[in-house]
Amino acid sequence: MATSPKRRQRARGSVETLPSGALRVSVYAGIDPVTKRRHYLKETIPAGTLKADDEAERAIRRLQTLVDERRQPRTNASVSALVERHLDLAQLDETTARTYRGYFRNHIQPIIGHIKVGAVDADLLDPYYAELRRCRLHCDRQRFIEHRTARPHECDDRCHPHVCRPLGAATIRQIHFILSGAFQQAVRWKWVGVNPMPTGKPPAAPKPNPRPPTAAEAARILAEAFRDPAWGTFVWIAMVTGARRGELCGLRWSKVDLENAIIIVDTSVAQNSSQKWLKDTKTHQQRRLAIDGDTVTILREHRAECERRAEALDTKLRADAFVFSLEPDNSEHLVPDSVSQRYGKLAARLGINTTLHKLRHYSATELIAAGVDIRTVAGRLGHGGGGTTTLRVYTAFVSESDQRAAQALFSRLPSRPEQRTASERARVEPRSPYEHVATAISGDITDGQFPRGAALPSTAQLTQIYGVSAGTIRRALQLLSEWGLIDGSGRPI
């Protein structure tokens, strides 16, 4: 039968004899700022320790010294409680807050969230960073299938056996900065006496390795993009300005001054899964970017096409309409993830290993190669460092150097692809069924199978010959008329 613990009072603390024979030392450390209860520092002397009473006395003095020097943990709160409170009180941009909470939910809480803040030290941090470098899913080293979605689905090649992949060095450093900020607050709140984070060693910052597309690759990308003039305009503006994808999606016509050849970048579209919202730029600063004459022409043509499309659907563009939109009145912005996916598919078709973000690298590289100073380049890209003065003084930003930057970049851009009408394109590059039929009939007219001046076969006969519907035949005949191969009565000319 277990005996009840016996407590022997000490002048500067107490020692409790546990049923196992071990001694538990307790020293009063004040009121817990989280629970508002009495807080004690405790240490256990294992049973069988030689001179256990003397060791207990030394433990009391050691713990009391921590209290006297205010180096003791002042709470039993966990790391999760600390980080959650830190994120709740921190003044963070919404996008940053979502990112940090994702790191907390996926990489902090499951591994060290239960640890008391007073127990965090180098012995804990080093294994923690090692775990982050081992597997981003923090698996238990058991084999399992990594499914593409948690919803019920038919597995395909996207569902595969789990293979451990480390978190990137940049992500681990972000997690380290979250914990560092939280423990700095913990010191201010008197949860702990000392910030333990400087004792941890996160991975070194990865070395910048921008890989922009080459000039030849940029030319191929533009040629492919301009098959759809609106999409080509988007890619062109991305190359010229080096703007972020969210900034381009959020660009409005009210911020495009074609008379003075200036684009104002002060809004961005943020996205988190299916949630999208408008916000200011990443550095919370507006940028005034000079653009070259050819870019002005492209934007004028794009606006005219937007207005024609809106008029055809009995609507019109508003003053605050978005420059790039799929809506008839340009009232809705593009979705950043969709833009990146479309660009990725374009690059994949061309066999080029690149991403939309690397157009920023392309713009910066070409500007620097053209001799533009770093401060101006930083200003055009909206970087937070490297051009602080220029970024703050917007009234002087569109200066002679920025005008030179616009002209220098334009001089190094590949030539704009020659624009063709849909009718001209169909003649050399048929895509739709009626375009293929029109091309076939054109060849038959040229070969003399359908003599000039003689009536073509009837619509019903042509549907039998080419194996298509009557509607397809009628559209093909209209296209032949646009090409000048048949007259109004449908006779070859």
Side-chain angles (χ1 to χ4, degrees), residues 117-122 125 176 179 183-184 187 192 194-200:
V117 293
V120 176
D121 55 17
L125 291 173
H176 174 80
L179 292 172
F183 273 97
Q184 286 176 6
V187 174
V192 294
V194 178
N195 184 353
M197 295 310 299
T199 63

Side-chain angles (χ1 to χ4, degrees), residues 95 106 127 161 218 225 241 247 259 316 331 363 383 430 475:
T95 305
N106 297 324
T241 64
E247 295 169 345
E259 294 299 324
K316 62 180 182 179
S331 59
S363 181
H383 287 160
R475 294 188 68 183

Side-chain angles (χ1 to χ4, degrees), residues 1-303:
M1 179 175 179
T3 60
S4 59
K6 295 180 181 179
R7 181 182 295 273
R8 300 198 303 274
Q9 295 296 324
R10 295 292 191 274
R12 306 191 67 185
S14 65
V15 177
E16 203 177 352
T17 303
L18 302 178
S20 63
L23 302 180
R24 183 163 61 195
V25 177
S26 298
V27 172
Y28 177 65
I31 301 299
D32 189 316
V34 180
T35 65
K36 307 304 181 183
R37 297 177 179 177
R38 294 169 66 86
H39 176 50
Y40 292 89
L41 300 184
K42 297 182 179 182
E43 185 174 324
T44 300
I45 310 300
T49 302
L50 294 177
K51 298 183 179 180
D53 285 347
D54 292 343
E55 186 62 33
E57 291 289 352
R58 284 193 290 270
I60 287 177
R61 289 194 294 272
R62 183 165 57 251
L63 296 178
Q64 188 62 50
T65 299
L66 290 177
V67 174
D68 293 342
E69 296 179 358
R70 296 186 177 183
R71 292 187 291 111
Q72 85 284 4
R74 294 177 173 86
T75 179
N76 289 320
S78 66
V79 172
S80 285
L82 171 62
V83 176
E84 283 186 304
R85 186 179 183 192
H86 168 60
L87 295 179
D88 287 341
L89 299 179
Q91 295 181 349
L92 300 174
D93 176 83
E94 186 173 359
T95 305
T96 304
R98 288 173 182 265
T99 301
Y100 283 7
R101 290 191 181 279
Y103 291 155
F104 167 69
R105 184 173 58 254
N106 297 324
H107 306 300
I108 297 177
Q109 190 174 40
I111 305 176
I112 62 171
H114 63 286
I115 303 295
K116 293 181 180 180
V117 293
V120 176
D121 55 17
D123 287 342
L124 181 141
L125 291 173
D126 288 346
Y128 172 60
Y129 293 139
E131 171 62 19
L132 297 182
R133 291 193 297 268
R134 182 188 70 83
C135 180
R136 63 180 58 200
L137 295 184
H138 318 305
C139 69
D140 56 2
R141 293 180 170 82
Q142 299 296 318
R143 292 183 60 84
F144 63 93
I145 297 297
E146 196 171 328
H147 292 283
R148 58 185 171 86
T149 177
R151 296 193 297 266
H153 64 281
E154 293 291 334
C155 289
D156 55 22
D157 57 346
R158 289 174 290 179
C159 302
H160 53 81
H162 169 68
V163 177
C164 293
R165 292 182 300 141
L167 276 180
T171 301
I172 298 177
R173 288 176 63 82
Q174 288 272 29
I175 293 171
H176 174 80
F177 297 146
I178 294 171
L179 292 172
S180 294
F183 273 97
Q184 286 176 6
Q185 294 296 88
V187 174
R188 290 183 61 248
W189 298 333
K190 299 182 179 180
W191 287 24
V192 294
V194 178
N195 184 353
M197 295 310 299
T199 63
K201 292 185 178 180
K207 294 182 179 179
N209 187 26
R211 294 182 179 179
T214 64
E217 290 172 339
R220 293 173 59 203
I221 289 170
L222 280 176
E224 179 70 13
F226 267 106
R227 290 181 176 225
D228 176 353
W231 175 236
T233 301
F234 183 96
V235 176
W236 178 278
I237 298 301
M239 282 189 178
V240 169
T241 64
R244 300 175 178 89
R245 65 173 191 173
E247 295 169 345
L248 293 175
C249 290
L251 182 63
R252 298 179 186 268
W253 281 115
S254 58
K255 302 296 182 179
V256 178
D257 184 352
L258 297 179
E259 294 299 324
N260 295 308
I262 292 173
I263 292 176
I264 300 174
V265 179
D266 63 356
T267 307
S268 181
V269 177
Q271 180 175 8
N272 180 25
S273 187
S274 61
Q275 295 181 315
K276 301 172 286 293
W277 64 96
L278 291 172
K279 65 181 193 68
D280 58 3
T281 60
K282 184 175 182 179
T283 54
H284 312 292
Q285 303 282 4
Q286 116 177 335
R287 308 198 301 281
R288 296 170 58 88
L289 305 180
I291 54 177
D292 59 89
D294 205 53
T295 300
V296 171
T297 300
I298 291 174
L299 285 172
R300 287 189 190 279
E301 294 174 358
H302 176 62
R303 182 178 178 93

